[in-house]
PDB file of all heavy atoms in Angstrom:
ATOM      1  N   ASP A1308       5.124  17.476  -7.192  1.00 92.00           N
ATOM      2  CA  ASP A1308       5.163  18.680  -6.352  1.00 92.00           C
ATOM      3  C   ASP A1308       3.845  18.925  -5.627  1.00 92.00           C
ATOM      4  O   ASP A1308       3.739  19.837  -4.798  1.00 92.00           O
ATOM      5  CB  ASP A1308       5.507  19.901  -7.203  1.00 92.00           C
ATOM      6  CG  ASP A1308       4.500  20.125  -8.337  1.00 92.00           C
ATOM      7  OD1 ASP A1308       3.939  19.126  -8.843  1.00 92.00           O
ATOM      8  OD2 ASP A1308       4.282  21.281  -8.710  1.00 92.00           O
ATOM      9  N   ARG A1309       2.836  18.112  -5.898  1.00 93.00           N
ATOM     10  CA  ARG A1309       1.524  18.313  -5.286  1.00 93.00           C
ATOM     11  C   ARG A1309       1.356  17.442  -4.044  1.00 93.00           C
ATOM     12  O   ARG A1309       1.484  16.222  -4.103  1.00 93.00           O
ATOM     13  CB  ARG A1309       0.408  18.007  -6.287  1.00 93.00           C
ATOM     14  CG  ARG A1309       0.437  18.884  -7.517  1.00 93.00           C
ATOM     15  CD  ARG A1309      -0.725  18.601  -8.446  1.00 93.00           C
ATOM     16  NE  ARG A1309      -2.017  19.066  -7.915  1.00 93.00           N
ATOM     17  CZ  ARG A1309      -3.151  19.003  -8.597  1.00 93.00           C
ATOM     18  NH1 ARG A1309      -3.171  18.488  -9.835  1.00 93.00           N
ATOM     19  NH2 ARG A1309      -4.279  19.447  -8.064  1.00 93.00           N
ATOM     20  N   GLY A1310       1.079  18.069  -2.924  1.00 93.00           N
ATOM     21  CA  GLY A1310       0.777  17.337  -1.701  1.00 93.00           C
ATOM     22  C   GLY A1310       1.990  16.654  -1.098  1.00 93.00           C
ATOM     23  O   GLY A1310       3.122  16.806  -1.554  1.00 93.00           O
ATOM     24  N   ARG A1311       1.742  15.893  -0.047  1.00 94.00           N
ATOM     25  CA  ARG A1311       2.770  15.067   0.573  1.00 94.00           C
ATOM     26  C   ARG A1311       2.746  13.696  -0.084  1.00 94.00           C
ATOM     27  O   ARG A1311       1.721  13.259  -0.605  1.00 94.00           O
ATOM     28  CB  ARG A1311       2.526  14.963   2.089  1.00 94.00           C
ATOM     29  CG  ARG A1311       2.630  16.286   2.806  1.00 94.00           C
ATOM     30  CD  ARG A1311       2.289  16.146   4.296  1.00 94.00           C
ATOM     31  NE  ARG A1311       2.588  17.380   5.012  1.00 94.00           N
ATOM     32  CZ  ARG A1311       1.763  18.413   5.084  1.00 94.00           C
ATOM     33  NH1 ARG A1311       0.584  18.355   4.491  1.00 94.00           N
ATOM     34  NH2 ARG A1311       2.106  19.503   5.738  1.00 94.00           N
ATOM     35  N   ARG A1312       3.872  12.980   0.012  1.00 96.00           N
ATOM     36  CA  ARG A1312       3.907  11.655  -0.590  1.00 96.00           C
ATOM     37  C   ARG A1312       4.840  10.727   0.172  1.00 96.00           C
ATOM     38  O   ARG A1312       5.823  11.159   0.776  1.00 96.00           O
ATOM     39  CB  ARG A1312       4.331  11.730  -2.059  1.00 96.00           C
ATOM     40  CG  ARG A1312       5.700  12.350  -2.322  1.00 96.00           C
ATOM     41  CD  ARG A1312       5.917  12.556  -3.824  1.00 96.00           C
ATOM     42  NE  ARG A1312       7.129  13.296  -4.106  1.00 96.00           N
ATOM     43  CZ  ARG A1312       8.301  12.731  -4.453  1.00 96.00           C
ATOM     44  NH1 ARG A1312       8.376  11.419  -4.579  1.00 96.00           N
ATOM     45  NH2 ARG A1312       9.366  13.477  -4.687  1.00 96.00           N
ATOM     46  N   VAL A1313       4.495   9.448   0.099  1.00 97.00           N
ATOM     47  CA  VAL A1313       5.307   8.367   0.657  1.00 97.00           C
ATOM     48  C   VAL A1313       5.490   7.353  -0.463  1.00 97.00           C
ATOM     49  O   VAL A1313       4.517   6.950  -1.091  1.00 97.00           O
ATOM     50  CB  VAL A1313       4.613   7.711   1.864  1.00 97.00           C
ATOM     51  CG1 VAL A1313       5.472   6.578   2.413  1.00 97.00           C
ATOM     52  CG2 VAL A1313       4.320   8.733   2.955  1.00 97.00           C
ATOM     53  N   TYR A1314       6.723   6.951  -0.708  1.00 96.00           N
ATOM     54  CA  TYR A1314       6.966   6.062  -1.846  1.00 96.00           C
ATOM     55  C   TYR A1314       8.169   5.169  -1.558  1.00 96.00           C
ATOM     56  O   TYR A1314       8.926   5.376  -0.606  1.00 96.00           O
ATOM     57  CB  TYR A1314       7.226   6.882  -3.104  1.00 96.00           C
ATOM     58  CG  TYR A1314       8.575   7.564  -3.124  1.00 96.00           C
ATOM     59  CD1 TYR A1314       9.629   7.037  -3.870  1.00 96.00           C
ATOM     60  CD2 TYR A1314       8.806   8.715  -2.366  1.00 96.00           C
ATOM     61  CE1 TYR A1314      10.882   7.649  -3.872  1.00 96.00           C
ATOM     62  CE2 TYR A1314      10.051   9.336  -2.363  1.00 96.00           C
ATOM     63  CZ  TYR A1314      11.078   8.799  -3.116  1.00 96.00           C
ATOM     64  OH  TYR A1314      12.312   9.405  -3.102  1.00 96.00           O
ATOM     65  N   MET A1315       8.349   4.161  -2.409  1.00 96.00           N
ATOM     66  CA  MET A1315       9.580   3.380  -2.419  1.00 96.00           C
ATOM     67  C   MET A1315      10.081   3.335  -3.846  1.00 96.00           C
ATOM     68  O   MET A1315       9.322   3.606  -4.795  1.00 96.00           O
ATOM     69  CB  MET A1315       9.373   1.975  -1.869  1.00 96.00           C
ATOM     70  CG  MET A1315       8.372   1.127  -2.625  1.00 96.00           C
ATOM     71  SD  MET A1315       8.474  -0.633  -2.196  1.00 96.00           S
ATOM     72  CE  MET A1315       9.792  -1.161  -3.313  1.00 96.00           C
ATOM     73  N   ASP A1316      11.339   2.997  -4.030  1.00 96.00           N
ATOM     74  CA  ASP A1316      11.946   2.999  -5.357  1.00 96.00           C
ATOM     75  C   ASP A1316      11.589   1.703  -6.072  1.00 96.00           C
ATOM     76  O   ASP A1316      12.337   0.711  -6.015  1.00 96.00           O
ATOM     77  CB  ASP A1316      13.459   3.171  -5.243  1.00 96.00           C
ATOM     78  CG  ASP A1316      14.114   3.506  -6.585  1.00 96.00           C
ATOM     79  OD1 ASP A1316      13.519   3.204  -7.628  1.00 96.00           O
ATOM     80  OD2 ASP A1316      15.242   4.039  -6.568  1.00 96.00           O
ATOM     81  N   GLU A1317      10.429   1.680  -6.727  1.00 96.00           N
ATOM     82  CA  GLU A1317       9.939   0.487  -7.407  1.00 96.00           C
ATOM     83  C   GLU A1317      10.922   0.033  -8.503  1.00 96.00           C
ATOM     84  O   GLU A1317      11.184  -1.161  -8.664  1.00 96.00           O
ATOM     85  CB  GLU A1317       8.575   0.773  -8.055  1.00 96.00           C
ATOM     86  CG  GLU A1317       7.537   1.342  -7.127  1.00 96.00           C
ATOM     87  CD  GLU A1317       6.687   0.255  -6.505  1.00 96.00           C
ATOM     88  OE1 GLU A1317       6.924  -0.931  -6.784  1.00 96.00           O
ATOM     89  OE2 GLU A1317       5.778   0.613  -5.731  1.00 96.00           O
ATOM     90  N   ARG A1318      11.436   0.992  -9.243  1.00 97.00           N
ATOM     91  CA  ARG A1318      12.336   0.672 -10.335  1.00 97.00           C
ATOM     92  C   ARG A1318      13.611  -0.004  -9.831  1.00 97.00           C
ATOM     93  O   ARG A1318      14.051  -1.021 -10.373  1.00 97.00           O
ATOM     94  CB  ARG A1318      12.685   1.956 -11.118  1.00 97.00           C
ATOM     95  CG  ARG A1318      13.465   1.733 -12.400  1.00 97.00           C
ATOM     96  CD  ARG A1318      13.740   3.072 -13.097  1.00 97.00           C
ATOM     97  NE  ARG A1318      14.326   2.909 -14.405  1.00 97.00           N
ATOM     98  CZ  ARG A1318      15.621   2.699 -14.625  1.00 97.00           C
ATOM     99  NH1 ARG A1318      16.470   2.622 -13.601  1.00 97.00           N
ATOM    100  NH2 ARG A1318      16.078   2.555 -15.853  1.00 97.00           N
ATOM    101  N   ARG A1319      14.195   0.560  -8.785  1.00 98.00           N
ATOM    102  CA  ARG A1319      15.432  -0.010  -8.257  1.00 98.00           C
ATOM    103  C   ARG A1319      15.189  -1.383  -7.635  1.00 98.00           C
ATOM    104  O   ARG A1319      16.038  -2.284  -7.743  1.00 98.00           O
ATOM    105  CB  ARG A1319      16.020   0.935  -7.192  1.00 98.00           C
ATOM    106  CG  ARG A1319      17.382   0.492  -6.682  1.00 98.00           C
ATOM    107  CD  ARG A1319      18.444   0.665  -7.745  1.00 98.00           C
ATOM    108  NE  ARG A1319      19.619  -0.144  -7.448  1.00 98.00           N
ATOM    109  CZ  ARG A1319      20.749  -0.073  -8.164  1.00 98.00           C
ATOM    110  NH1 ARG A1319      20.835   0.753  -9.193  1.00 98.00           N
ATOM    111  NH2 ARG A1319      21.777  -0.838  -7.860  1.00 98.00           N
ATOM    112  N   ALA A1320      14.044  -1.559  -6.996  1.00 98.00           N
ATOM    113  CA  ALA A1320      13.731  -2.852  -6.382  1.00 98.00           C
ATOM    114  C   ALA A1320      13.630  -3.936  -7.450  1.00 98.00           C
ATOM    115  O   ALA A1320      14.160  -5.049  -7.276  1.00 98.00           O
ATOM    116  CB  ALA A1320      12.442  -2.756  -5.595  1.00 98.00           C
ATOM    117  N   ALA A1321      12.955  -3.633  -8.573  1.00 98.00           N
ATOM    118  CA  ALA A1321      12.844  -4.607  -9.655  1.00 98.00           C
ATOM    119  C   ALA A1321      14.215  -4.848 -10.302  1.00 98.00           C
ATOM    120  O   ALA A1321      14.537  -5.972 -10.714  1.00 98.00           O
ATOM    121  CB  ALA A1321      11.854  -4.113 -10.700  1.00 98.00           C
ATOM    122  N   PHE A1322      15.013  -3.806 -10.403  1.00 98.00           N
ATOM    123  CA  PHE A1322      16.377  -3.940 -10.925  1.00 98.00           C
ATOM    124  C   PHE A1322      17.154  -4.933 -10.053  1.00 98.00           C
ATOM    125  O   PHE A1322      17.803  -5.863 -10.559  1.00 98.00           O
ATOM    126  CB  PHE A1322      17.060  -2.561 -10.916  1.00 98.00           C
ATOM    127  CG  PHE A1322      18.466  -2.557 -11.425  1.00 98.00           C
ATOM    128  CD1 PHE A1322      18.739  -2.228 -12.747  1.00 98.00           C
ATOM    129  CD2 PHE A1322      19.535  -2.866 -10.592  1.00 98.00           C
ATOM    130  CE1 PHE A1322      20.054  -2.206 -13.233  1.00 98.00           C
ATOM    131  CE2 PHE A1322      20.839  -2.851 -11.046  1.00 98.00           C
ATOM    132  CZ  PHE A1322      21.101  -2.516 -12.372  1.00 98.00           C
ATOM    133  N   ASP A1323      17.096  -4.757  -8.750  1.00 98.00           N
ATOM    134  CA  ASP A1323      17.842  -5.617  -7.830  1.00 98.00           C
ATOM    135  C   ASP A1323      17.384  -7.061  -7.909  1.00 98.00           C
ATOM    136  O   ASP A1323      18.189  -7.993  -7.832  1.00 98.00           O
ATOM    137  CB  ASP A1323      17.709  -5.106  -6.397  1.00 98.00           C
ATOM    138  CG  ASP A1323      18.479  -3.824  -6.151  1.00 98.00           C
ATOM    139  OD1 ASP A1323      19.281  -3.426  -7.026  1.00 98.00           O
ATOM    140  OD2 ASP A1323      18.282  -3.211  -5.080  1.00 98.00           O
ATOM    141  N   MET A1324      16.081  -7.273  -8.050  1.00 98.00           N
ATOM    142  CA  MET A1324      15.570  -8.644  -8.157  1.00 98.00           C
ATOM    143  C   MET A1324      16.069  -9.310  -9.433  1.00 98.00           C
ATOM    144  O   MET A1324      16.432 -10.506  -9.434  1.00 98.00           O
ATOM    145  CB  MET A1324      14.045  -8.658  -8.094  1.00 98.00           C
ATOM    146  CG  MET A1324      13.434 -10.041  -8.204  1.00 98.00           C
ATOM    147  SD  MET A1324      14.015 -11.184  -6.913  1.00 98.00           S
ATOM    148  CE  MET A1324      12.956 -10.689  -5.551  1.00 98.00           C
ATOM    149  N   THR A1325      16.092  -8.559 -10.520  1.00 98.00           N
ATOM    150  CA  THR A1325      16.581  -9.116 -11.790  1.00 98.00           C
ATOM    151  C   THR A1325      18.069  -9.443 -11.684  1.00 98.00           C
ATOM    152  O   THR A1325      18.527 -10.483 -12.178  1.00 98.00           O
ATOM    153  CB  THR A1325      16.316  -8.133 -12.942  1.00 98.00           C
ATOM    154  OG1 THR A1325      14.942  -7.723 -12.912  1.00 98.00           O
ATOM    155  CG2 THR A1325      16.639  -8.759 -14.272  1.00 98.00           C
ATOM    156  N   VAL A1326      18.818  -8.573 -11.023  1.00 97.00           N
ATOM    157  CA  VAL A1326      20.238  -8.835 -10.804  1.00 97.00           C
ATOM    158  C   VAL A1326      20.424 -10.107  -9.966  1.00 97.00           C
ATOM    159  O   VAL A1326      21.337 -10.906 -10.207  1.00 97.00           O
ATOM    160  CB  VAL A1326      20.916  -7.629 -10.114  1.00 97.00           C
ATOM    161  CG1 VAL A1326      22.320  -7.978  -9.627  1.00 97.00           C
ATOM    162  CG2 VAL A1326      20.970  -6.444 -11.061  1.00 97.00           C
ATOM    163  N   HIS A1327      19.542 -10.303  -8.986  1.00 97.00           N
ATOM    164  CA  HIS A1327      19.593 -11.525  -8.178  1.00 97.00           C
ATOM    165  C   HIS A1327      19.510 -12.768  -9.069  1.00 97.00           C
ATOM    166  O   HIS A1327      20.291 -13.720  -8.895  1.00 97.00           O
ATOM    167  CB  HIS A1327      18.445 -11.517  -7.164  1.00 97.00           C
ATOM    168  CG  HIS A1327      18.209 -12.828  -6.473  1.00 97.00           C
ATOM    169  ND1 HIS A1327      19.058 -13.322  -5.525  1.00 97.00           N
ATOM    170  CD2 HIS A1327      17.208 -13.752  -6.622  1.00 97.00           C
ATOM    171  CE1 HIS A1327      18.605 -14.494  -5.087  1.00 97.00           C
ATOM    172  NE2 HIS A1327      17.482 -14.776  -5.742  1.00 97.00           N
TER     173      HIS A1327
END
Side-chain angles (χ1 to χ4, degrees):
D1308 58 329
R1309 299 183 71 175
R1311 296 177 172 84
R1312 59 188 173 98
V1313 179
Y1314 73 102
M1315 61 165 275
D1316 193 338
E1317 307 268 1
R1318 188 180 187 277
R1319 185 70 199 187
F1322 180 96
D1323 289 349
M1324 180 58 81
T1325 309
V1326 169
H1327 168 72

